[in-house]
Amino acid sequence: MGMLKDLREENNYYEIQQFRQIWVWLILLLVEFALLFTILSAMINLFVSIIIISIGFGFIWLFYRMKLITTINEDGINIIFAPFTNFIIPFNKIKKYQIRQYRPIIEYGGWGIRYSKYGKAYNVSGKIGLQIELSNGKRLLIGTQNPDTLLQTLNEIINKN
């Protein structure tokens, strides 16, 4: 919790999003129960059963731990998609940006870290994001639940520089 408190205090903007949608957890639990049922009914080798159950619970643990943290400070926009990536987009690399509504499944194939013809997306839930076009022509979308605050903070910092 200490790291999250530090991130909140040292940034102009801070947002954390996690996979907490009921439908995500229902799917994960259904898959785990299906694995358990298959193992119990098929009398699979004990070692194989333990591995399969561990993998299932590993996915549940992974989804519980995954989080998208977006911060903005004088250095740029920091994107942390724990436990996978952590990087900063410096303001001088941003050509243009805007808040936009998007269709996660149609445009990016779902949620998470996604690649498509529309660019790269980091999203956890919802359908509103910060669309960024970088100076090298690449596009990046960051999902947000606070579009007004995000845009206001970004405008204030970029206009100040």
Side-chain angles (χ1 to χ4, degrees):
M1 187 66 181
M3 183 185 97
L4 295 179
K5 184 179 178 190
D6 292 344
L7 284 173
R8 280 190 198 111
E9 291 173 356
E10 61 192 40
N11 290 287
N12 299 56
Y13 177 83
Y14 172 88
E15 179 179 4
I16 184 169
Q17 299 177 69
Q18 294 178 280
F19 286 102
R20 295 297 183 256
Q21 302 90 326
I22 291 174
W23 65 268
V24 170
W25 295 102
L26 286 176
I27 291 171
L28 288 170
L29 289 174
L30 283 173
V31 168
E32 186 66 21
F33 285 129
L35 289 172
L36 287 171
F37 179 75
T38 302
I39 289 167
L40 293 175
S41 65
M43 297 298 184
I44 298 175
N45 177 319
L46 180 63
F47 180 70
V48 174
S49 299
I50 291 171
I51 290 174
I52 291 171
I53 290 171
S54 298
I55 290 171
F57 281 116
F59 275 114
I60 290 172
W61 178 84
L62 179 64
F63 269 84
Y64 182 76
R65 297 289 299 170
M66 274 194 286
K67 59 184 72 142
L68 172 61
I69 302 171
T70 308
T71 62
I72 300 175
N73 59 35
E74 301 297 326
D75 297 328
I77 302 170
N78 187 20
I79 300 169
I80 302 169
F81 203 114
F84 303 109
T85 190
N86 179 353
F87 64 95
I88 294 176
I89 303 169
F91 294 122
N92 64 358
K93 302 279 187 203
I94 298 174
K95 183 177 176 181
K96 62 183 177 180
Y97 60 91
Q98 68 177 8
I99 295 292
R100 78 170 182 94
Q101 191 165 353
Y102 66 100
R103 299 170 298 179
I105 294 174
I106 293 171
E107 292 180 40
Y108 295 99
W111 294 269
I113 300 173
R114 312 300 295 192
Y115 302 87
S116 79
K117 66 180 181 180
Y118 300 100
K120 194 171 185 179
Y122 296 88
N123 57 8
V124 170
S125 66
K127 53 187 175 182
I128 297 176
L130 175 67
Q131 180 73 60
I132 300 171
E133 185 178 334
L134 301 172
S135 53
N136 64 7
K138 293 184 179 180
R139 293 181 295 178
L140 179 75
L141 182 108
I142 307 164
T144 182
Q145 301 299 311
N146 303 311
D148 296 333
T149 307
L150 175 69
L151 187 61
Q152 180 182 355
T153 304
L154 199 51
N155 285 334
E156 285 173 4
I157 291 178
I158 287 178
N159 291 334
K160 187 168 71 172
N161 293 330

